[in-house]
Amino acid sequence: MRVINPDHRLIAHKLTYLRDKRTDSPTFRRLAEELMTLLAYEATREVRIEPFEIETPVAPTTGIKLSNPKPLIVPILRAGLGMLEGMVRLLPSAEVGFLGMQRDEETLQAITYANRLPDDLSGRQVYVLDPMLATGGSMADAIHYLRVRGADDITAVCLLSAPEGIAHLEESVADIGCPVTLVTGAIDERLNEVGYIVPGLGDAGDRLYGVAQ
């Protein structure tokens, strides 16, 4: 597994305000979108393309366009939705699927409760979005789920990652049979005793959308 942690001051700047507990939900959502767009530049560096013949106002030339089948963007519900707009802004012609996964707070294991994905992902590049790579269980399960359906190039994009989550993910996808890349805005210190990233930014879903009473 390839891990990309871009060294960019704007990424660090936006992460600082995302981490700040005083940042309200509307500002948090906007910053998450902006940070996602920055990370998307790195995540899509090797997106598949093909030649495309055009005519400029001056002369014919050959450009490029995204290859078919189009890339598939898969946010993991619910927190991954906060990253979707930032990714779609960069890849407007990509298709979007959804995968519902949640963590059992006692076992820390991921549970899949919903999906809206094509049955056949053969030949597809897939970008999986989830703000936090903590234990790595949800992302590992998502990647295996996509691979079983035929995805042959999978990139995980996370705002923050813990070393434990990266190690678990790397071990989980070692024999998966297709390239896997992790793009993350930062690699934090560790997980605490209840599986939260330290220093982290808290519960990304709650900070994006609030807590329903």
Side-chain angles (χ1 to χ4, degrees):
M1 182 179 79
R2 184 173 54 150
V3 178
I4 299 173
N5 177 206
D7 181 15
H8 197 295
R9 291 181 179 181
L10 275 180
I11 290 175
H13 165 75
K14 293 183 187 300
L15 272 174
T16 297
Y17 286 94
L18 283 169
R19 294 181 190 276
D20 192 335
K21 67 181 182 181
R22 297 169 295 183
T23 300
D24 59 24
S25 287
T27 305
F28 193 97
R29 287 194 294 271
R30 176 177 56 79
L31 288 168
E33 281 187 19
E34 292 172 357
L35 178 54
M36 181 63 234
T37 299
L38 292 172
L39 295 176
Y41 278 104
E42 292 295 337
T44 57
R45 189 174 293 274
E46 295 182 11
V47 68
R48 292 172 184 163
I49 57 173
E50 59 187 44
F52 184 52
E53 302 298 326
I54 62 169
E55 288 196 17
T56 77
V58 178
T61 189
T62 302
I64 60 171
K65 66 176 181 178
L66 297 184
S67 299
N68 285 313
K70 293 290 193 297
L72 181 68
I73 302 170
V74 181
I76 296 179
L77 304 176
R78 68 176 169 149
L81 288 175
M83 303 167 69
L84 178 59
E85 186 60 33
M87 188 76 179
V88 170
R89 185 178 295 120
L90 200 68
L91 278 179
S93 62
E95 297 177 0
V96 178
F98 298 94
L99 190 57
M101 307 189 81
Q102 64 186 27
R103 184 173 65 169
D104 185 304
E105 295 301 332
E106 292 184 3
T107 66
L108 303 183
Q109 298 300 307
I111 301 169
T112 302
Y113 63 86
N115 86 78
R116 293 286 293 174
L117 297 170
D119 291 331
D120 185 6
L121 297 176
S122 298
R124 300 291 287 269
Q125 281 183 297
V126 181
Y127 299 89
V128 193
L129 315 182
D130 199 10
M132 315 294 281
L133 184 69
T135 64
S138 295
M139 184 60 76
D141 285 356
I143 289 173
H144 279 274
Y145 194 88
L146 295 164
R147 179 60 179 150
V148 166
R149 292 192 172 209
D152 68 357
D153 189 322
I154 302 171
T155 298
V157 188
C158 303
L159 305 184
L160 289 180
S161 298
E164 297 92 332
I166 294 174
H168 176 76
L169 186 61
E170 191 165 23
E171 181 180 357
S172 297
V173 304
D175 299 318
I176 201 170
C178 78
V180 175
T181 301
L182 168 65
V183 178
T184 183
I187 301 173
D188 276 12
E189 296 173 12
R190 59 184 172 85
L191 294 180
N192 65 14
E193 63 279 1
V194 292
Y196 276 82
I197 299 175
V198 178
L201 50 75
D203 186 300
D206 288 350
R207 297 200 63 193
L208 280 162
Y209 304 116
V211 181
Q213 301 296 328

